[in-house]
């Protein structure tokens, strides 16, 4: 029978610490954890030149997502929908994994990270070498037929758009769309279920580059905390879960994550104050 773990006191109290101290404390937690999960958001990929959603200059800056990135927009005005995603695909074509992606893959190789859950759809974690990635918002590697549900490489959609044609499924003639979660859609049940299960059982949840404002994924850290996990957050801006975290570091993912990986790889013995924080 599964039992709920007793909650632990949060020594950090959500107060941000300087990066060197935070790096040491997060590394100590990861070294001690037997099942550690990383949850990443758009802030991990901004350093690869991909815009986030809500900041100044982000994807929703001056744009109503309901008009270009929702299920009803896809059906109501497919050309506006495709124009938006054509821009996203063009940006992704020139993007490469950055230091944060590589550091997370390195932590995986070191045995300090056991699963990556990402809100991102760019596939950069896999390109960096991460082996076990749960994409809770889908991905931009594939196109899906809105009619029969068949999956195709995203190139099939991109090629049609370059010729100014509406992308059609070769099997049924239905419109192809990116295999991502649109506004007004539910998250893929299998992916979200696995992410939820991981957060219920992990010893450490490290959140990187997420505002923790988009639900239901934003509820996963609170779930992990309720089940007794240690929570660490690396993000440039405050999040609603900072007060529940053991460690909060205000820094770029590409600056903090490589240092965490270096600290884990160094094999330094856990400092008692940091390991128990």
């Amino acid at each position: 029978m599964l039992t709920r773990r007793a909650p632990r006191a949060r020594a950090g109290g959500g107060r941000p610490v300087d990066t060197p101290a935070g790096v040491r404390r997060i590394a100590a937690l990861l070294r001690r954890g037997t099942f550690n999960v990383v949850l990443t958001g758009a802030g991990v990929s901004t350093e690869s030149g991909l815009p986030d959603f809500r900041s100044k200059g982000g994807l929703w800056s001056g744009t109503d997502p309901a008009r270009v990135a929702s299920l009803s927009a896809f059906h109501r005005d497919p050309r506006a929908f495709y124009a938006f995603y054509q821009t996203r695909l063009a940006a992704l074509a020139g993007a490469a994994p950055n230091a944060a992606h590589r550091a997370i893959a390195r932590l995986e190789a070191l045995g300090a990270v056991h699963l990556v859950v990402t809100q991102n759809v760019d596939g950069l974690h896999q390109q960096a070498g991460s082996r076990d990635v749960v994409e809770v918002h889908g991905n931009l590697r594939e196109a899906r037929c809105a009619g029969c549900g068949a999956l195709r490489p995203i190139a099939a959609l991109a090629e049609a758009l370059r010729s100014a044609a509406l992308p059609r499924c070769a099997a049924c003639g239905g419109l192809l769309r990116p295999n991502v979660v649109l506004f007004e859609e539910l998250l893929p049940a299998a992916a979200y279920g696995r992410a939820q299960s991981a957060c219920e059982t992990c010893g450490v949840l490290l959140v990187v580059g997420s505002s923790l404002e988009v639900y239901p994924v934003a509820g996963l850290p609170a779930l992990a905390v309720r089940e007794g996990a240690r929570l660490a957050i690396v993000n440039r801006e405050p999040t609603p879960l900072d007060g529940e975290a053991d460690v909060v570091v205000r820094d770029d993912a590409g600056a903090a994550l490589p240092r965490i990986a270096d600290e884990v790889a160094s094999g330094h013995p856990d400092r008692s104050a940091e390991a128990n924080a």
Side-chain angles (χ1 to χ4, degrees):
M1 181 176 66
L2 292 176
T3 57
R4 182 170 171 174
R5 291 170 289 175
R8 297 172 176 143
R10 306 283 144 185
R15 295 185 300 275
V17 297
D18 63 89
T19 297
V23 162
R24 292 192 298 270
R25 288 169 64 177
I26 293 172
L29 291 175
L30 293 175
R31 283 195 299 266
R32 288 164 58 92
T34 57
F35 179 50
N36 303 328
V37 176
V38 175
L39 170 63
T40 66
V44 171
S45 292
T46 54
E47 294 169 57
S48 291
L50 298 175
D52 62 11
F53 294 89
R54 289 165 181 79
S55 66
K56 185 178 180 180
L59 286 173
W60 306 145
S61 180
T63 300
D64 179 0
R67 297 185 62 185
V68 295
S70 65
L71 185 61
S72 57
F74 171 67
H75 292 299
R76 180 182 65 248
D77 190 355
R79 291 199 179 275
F81 173 89
Y82 287 129
F84 172 74
Y85 273 98
Q86 196 167 16
T87 300
R88 290 197 70 183
L89 290 172
L92 182 56
N98 62 53
H101 296 108
R102 294 190 294 271
I104 291 169
R106 186 181 176 206
L107 286 168
E108 243 187 300
L110 290 167
V113 165
H114 305 95
L115 184 69
V116 178
V117 176
T118 186
Q119 297 171 280
N120 299 331
V121 297
D122 48 47
L124 295 180
H125 282 299
Q126 292 92 326
Q127 289 185 39
S130 286
R131 298 179 299 276
D132 203 354
V133 182
V134 179
E135 296 170 308
V136 291
H137 288 167
N139 70 80
L140 280 174
R141 296 184 304 278
E142 300 170 322
R144 186 173 83 243
C145 176
C148 67
L151 295 178
R152 301 281 187 271
I154 197 67
L157 184 151
E159 288 170 9
L161 295 181
R162 282 195 293 270
S163 65
L166 289 177
R168 297 280 180 183
C169 174
C172 75
L175 286 175
L176 295 177
R177 46 159 288 185
N179 192 25
V180 298
V181 177
L182 305 178
F183 284 89
E184 305 166 353
E185 287 188 311
L186 298 176
L187 272 59
Y192 185 73
R194 189 174 180 213
Q196 186 175 46
S197 177
C199 289
E200 288 172 340
T201 56
C202 67
V204 178
L205 178 63
L206 171 58
V207 177
V208 185
S210 177
S211 64
L212 296 180
E213 294 178 350
V214 179
Y215 284 84
V217 177
L220 292 176
L223 171 65
V225 168
R226 287 197 302 272
E227 295 298 328
R230 302 284 195 175
L231 176 63
I233 297 175
V234 177
N235 199 54
R236 293 180 63 182
E237 304 296 332
T239 81
L241 267 292
D242 286 357
E244 299 295 321
D246 295 277
V247 189
V248 177
V249 173
R250 296 265 189 273
D251 205 344
D252 292 329
L257 268 293
R259 296 170 71 174
I260 293 170
D262 285 344
E263 182 77 12
V264 169
S266 73
H268 289 160
D270 291 348
R271 302 164 176 84
S272 59
E274 291 162 356
N276 295 318

